Amino acid sequence: MTKTYFNWSTGKDSAMALYHLLKDDEYQVDQLVTSVNAAHDRVTMHGLRRSLMEKQINALGIPCNTIELPENPDMETYGKLMIEGVQKLKDQGYRTAGFGDIFLEDLREYREKQLRSLDINCVFPLWKRDTKELMEEFIALGFKAIVVCINGQLLDESFVGRELDASFIKDLPDNVDPCGENGEFHTFCYDGPIFQQPVPFEVGEKTYREYPSPSKNEPNYGYWFCDLLPA
């Protein structure tokens, strides 16, 4: 078995990919890695509180390392911190990294290029899966998740804070991927076959945050977040 660590985002795709890796006798997954915005003490992109992430990790029963990122890291800083974190894992004998990516070719190429320099192989259990079928499998297996972040340009406020169920998938506009693979929405997975017990939480307030566009010719973009509190 190959000593493997898994890049854990706390959401649905990570949960499904980890589920399939744990069933594969080729890989020994005994370490998770999550990037955290140290300035806000929240999981990057998802905005999940660190305290709730830690309860989720305890429910999974797999140790987790965090990569501490500054508030607004540029790509050079991000890459440097990630490489430093992976080097520590390599020193512990890890030779393979697992990811929950599905079809973003440029993202896969970036990950493989960065880790190739450290002789770390990449594995993508969900790669090229049909995303609608993947969500149907997620629900059928008994996974449970709540939507914690949405792209305000593609989805309205009513979608954030909802359970990720068949009704949610049915209500998505045609231009939104069922898995949100293009960043349309992010989730917090709190129960399912890889969990030892459900993660208790309470739903907090919704907030809207706007960010400057990387291009001067494009308008600013915004995201709706639903805060979750450890119960």
Side-chain angles (χ1 to χ4, degrees):
M1 298 179 72
T2 304
K3 195 170 176 64
T4 303
Y5 71 89
F6 185 79
N7 291 268
W8 179 253
S9 73
T10 71
K12 58 187 174 14
D13 297 340
S14 278
M16 278 295 289
L18 180 59
Y19 168 80
H20 285 288
L21 267 186
L22 291 172
K23 292 174 59 181
D24 193 327
D25 292 337
E26 184 177 348
Y27 304 101
Q28 176 188 333
V29 184
D30 54 14
Q31 183 72 47
L32 305 178
V33 176
T34 301
S35 59
V36 174
N37 186 313
H40 298 288
D41 231 22
R42 292 177 182 262
V43 176
T44 54
M45 291 302 298
H46 291 216
L48 186 76
R49 292 171 182 261
R50 186 196 296 263
S51 57
L52 191 52
M53 177 203 73
E54 291 172 345
K55 289 184 178 295
Q56 182 193 52
I57 296 302
N58 289 336
L60 288 168
I62 304 176
C64 181
N65 281 344
T66 61
I67 296 180
E68 305 291 322
L69 300 176
E71 185 172 10
N72 295 302
D74 54 33
M75 286 305 295
E76 182 179 353
T77 301
Y78 173 82
K80 179 177 181 292
L81 292 172
M82 294 298 288
I83 290 296
E84 290 176 355
V86 173
Q87 182 62 58
K88 293 177 182 178
L89 291 164
K90 182 182 178 181
D91 293 342
Q92 297 172 33
Y94 290 93
R95 293 294 179 268
T96 299
F99 296 91
D101 303 310
I102 305 173
F103 59 67
L104 298 180
E105 298 279 359
D106 56 343
L107 183 56
R108 175 169 179 161
E109 290 175 4
Y110 172 79
R111 299 195 196 285
E112 291 177 330
K113 180 181 179 180
Q114 292 294 309
L115 295 181
R116 193 179 299 123
S117 64
L118 295 172
D119 294 323
I120 300 290
N121 297 317
C122 298
V123 59
F124 301 83
L126 308 183
W127 192 247
K128 295 300 184 181
R129 288 281 306 274
D130 180 276
T131 51
K132 186 174 186 297
E133 292 179 0
L134 196 57
M135 280 296 89
E136 291 173 350
E137 180 185 6
F138 179 88
I139 295 168
L141 285 169
F143 280 104
K144 296 185 184 300
I146 184 170
V147 179
V148 293
C149 173
I150 62 167
N151 183 334
Q153 293 179 307
L154 299 171
L155 296 169
D156 63 55
E157 178 187 356
S158 67
F159 282 90
V160 71
R162 286 182 59 177
E163 286 284 329
L164 184 60
D165 53 18
S167 175
F168 177 88
I169 302 302
K170 182 181 178 182
D171 290 344
L172 289 175
D174 293 338
N175 63 334
V176 172
D177 181 75
C179 279
E181 178 68 351
N182 296 302
E184 298 98 327
F185 63 92
H186 299 287
T187 60
F188 168 65
C189 188
Y190 62 89
D191 197 9
I194 60 175
F195 288 82
Q196 297 175 355
Q197 68 272 341
V199 184
F201 65 91
E202 296 176 357
V203 177
E205 64 180 5
K206 298 179 182 181
T207 57
Y208 180 77
R209 297 174 188 168
E210 196 167 89
Y211 301 89
S213 171
S215 172
K216 294 182 179 179
N217 299 322
E218 297 179 4
N220 293 345
Y221 60 95
Y223 286 85
W224 280 99
F225 294 89
C226 178
D227 195 18
L228 301 181
L229 309 172

